[in-house]
Amino acid sequence: MIDPFGRTVDYLRVSVTDRCDFRCAYCMSEDMSFLPKNEVLSLEEIDRLCGSFIELGVRKLRITGGEPLVRRNVMWLFQQLGRHLDSGTLDELTVTTNGSQLVRHAADLYACGVRRINVSLDTLNADKFLAITRWGKFDRVMAGIDAAREAGLAVKINAVALRDFNEDEFDQMLTWCGENDLDMTLIEAMPMGDIGQNRADQHLALSEVKKTLAEKWTLLPSDHATGGPATYVTIKETGRRLGFITPLSHNFCESCNRVRLTCTGTLFMCLGQDDAADLRTPLREHGDDETLKQAILEAISRKPKGHDFIIDRDVDSPAVARHMSVTGG
Ligand code: SAM
Ligand code: SF4
């Protein structure tokens, strides 16, 4: 699949649920209303959709949410998708999770062919963890990370960088990552969805964070590239990688290789734009996959050049109305 700007689209991120067992302050408001179950695709429908994307050239799948591992029977979906790894039509199957269910699922994920996972963790302080996730259990997530490593999964920690919250913790987190064989990526908070507070208060530019880290650590340039929005350095002292995702201070759209599917079958061609394609109708109305594939190709032909996120102190509304948990991070 090639978009109008010549970019090959071979990476699909699939949000399998908008629900979550946490309420992270930058992601959700505390009283979220979720989709009625009948609007959400069944796991069989998600499997069929992914199959069509793979036939059209998708080589990498990331399962996300909401919290993907709280969806009932989600391991069935991983098993089905793992078959594409066995047949060689898919290069990678991976997941982004808050870690709360990893003790239960890590070994099964490995058995399905998953080899790398992202675990979101913004702090190593249990009290701050509770403050930012509102409902999260810190010890359970730490046990989940251990379980993942014991199962043989490579773990990357994703931390959203938040002013006056975790900016004084990155040194400690990098040391901990070094001791536990974990890579880490810092993410700038993106203005997605109403969270009941002004985002300008949270915003922390990673260009500043990088400068501060460089005073203590030796940050070696790294040519590691995932086709994603992160730029990487290698930390000489630990040998681990550190990524920076800077949607606001650096525009990463020119190399964008991905599209995002929500759990209702809506395809977003850009995380930062509202244009979307309904794939649920062709999926449900036609037993054959040809109509569905035509709808996918038509959507790819509308992939926009880029996003225009901006966090403006004077403008209170988010750049896009939907929450990150709808499209998946
Ligand atoms: N629940 C899973 C988790 O937390 O990893 C998967 C879904 S979550 C929406 C995916 C990623 O998006 C997480 O790393 C989270 O920190 C990040 N995220 C959520 N809201 C964000 C925002 N407004 N700006 C930047 N990152 C955000
Ligand atoms: Fe849930 Fe992930 Fe959003 Fe936190 S970031 S509320 S864990 S979906």
Side-chain angles (χ1 to χ4, degrees):
M1 293 185 284
I2 313 266
D3 81 357
F5 303 96
R7 297 169 297 193
T8 300
V9 177
D10 56 7
Y11 181 10
L12 176 67
R13 298 170 74 109
V14 185
S15 173
V16 295
T17 177
D18 64 329
R19 288 164 197 256
C20 188
D21 51 346
F22 293 6
R23 289 290 180 278
C24 302
Y26 48 79
C27 178
M28 294 190 180
S29 63
E30 198 156 10
D31 57 342
M32 291 285 285
S33 43
F34 294 108
L35 292 162
K37 289 223 164 85
N38 58 7
E39 282 192 30
V40 175
L41 298 182
S42 67
L43 293 175
E44 289 79 3
E45 287 173 323
I46 295 176
D47 178 38
R48 201 180 131 204
L49 260 171
C50 290
S52 290
F53 273 99
I54 290 167
E55 281 175 31
L56 288 171
V58 159
R59 305 287 314 176
K60 177 171 172 182
L61 272 181
R62 179 175 295 276
I63 305 301
T64 177
E67 175 46 41
L69 300 184
V70 298
R71 174 137 186 196
R72 194 143 60 93
N73 217 11
V74 73
M75 292 319 295
W76 176 86
L77 180 65
F78 279 97
Q79 279 160 11
Q80 300 308 308
L81 297 176
R83 293 185 182 162
H84 300 287
L85 294 169
D86 297 338
S87 69
T89 47
L90 188 67
D91 294 332
E92 188 169 38
L93 174 61
T94 177
V95 61
T96 299
T97 172
N98 65 23
S100 69
Q101 311 298 317
L102 278 175
V103 168
R104 193 154 58 107
H105 287 316
D108 291 341
L109 285 171
Y110 190 91
C112 294
V114 175
R115 293 293 175 266
R116 297 191 306 147
I117 64 170
N118 289 354
V119 179
S120 303
L121 180 71
D122 305 319
T123 173
L124 290 173
N125 175 308
D127 294 332
K128 282 163 77 175
F129 182 84
L130 182 60
I132 197 79
T133 62
R134 295 189 182 113
W135 297 0
K137 294 199 170 55
F138 181 71
D139 291 344
R140 204 161 141 188
V141 171
M142 296 308 264
I145 293 171
D146 286 344
R149 293 186 48 230
E150 275 160 30
L153 297 167
V155 178
K156 181 161 74 72
I157 300 295
N158 277 350
V160 177
L162 298 165
R163 178 171 300 287
D164 298 332
F165 176 73
N166 56 5
E167 60 188 314
D168 58 348
E169 260 197 84
F170 301 142
D171 281 333
Q172 190 199 347
M173 289 180 83
L174 286 178
T175 303
W176 175 74
C177 284
E179 288 163 359
N180 291 281
D181 306 324
L182 308 164
D183 289 334
M184 181 162 123
T185 295
L186 291 170
I187 309 172
E188 270 178 13
M190 297 175 226
M192 298 188 66
D194 186 3
I195 51 163
Q197 73 181 93
N198 191 324
R199 292 192 185 262
D201 297 338
Q202 302 179 319
H203 187 244
L204 179 61
L206 289 184
S207 47
E208 294 303 313
V209 172
K210 196 172 177 181
K211 265 191 223 150
T212 312
L213 289 176
E215 289 167 13
K216 165 141 192 203
W217 304 90
T218 315
L219 308 182
L220 303 171
S222 162
D223 55 7
H224 178 71
T226 57
T231 55
Y232 290 92
V233 295
T234 301
I235 306 219
K236 189 173 168 215
E237 289 81 356
T238 64
R240 304 307 312 183
R241 241 180 243 132
L242 172 64
F244 297 90
I245 299 187
T246 54
L248 297 153
S249 51
H250 172 79
N251 200 302
F252 50 71
C253 305
E254 59 282 359
S255 60
C256 182
N257 63 348
R258 62 199 56 199
V259 287
R260 295 172 157 86
L261 185 69
T262 73
C263 59
T264 59
T266 305
L267 188 72
F268 284 92
M269 286 73 82
C270 172
L271 184 63
Q273 300 276 1
D274 285 327
D275 186 31
D278 166 33
L279 299 181
R280 188 175 58 185
T281 306
L283 176 78
R284 288 192 172 163
E285 283 182 359
H286 299 271
D288 73 287
D289 288 342
E290 279 320 301
T291 319
L292 178 60
K293 284 188 197 158
Q294 281 311 315
I296 294 172
L297 291 173
E298 195 280 326
I300 299 296
S301 77
R302 298 201 324 252
K303 186 166 161 65
K305 193 160 181 217
H307 67 68
D308 29 47
F309 280 140
I310 174 164
I311 291 186
D312 187 339
R313 187 164 281 283
D314 299 326
V315 180
D316 233 3
S317 57
V320 287
R322 60 186 189 279
H323 290 89
M324 186 72 108
S325 52
V326 173
T327 359

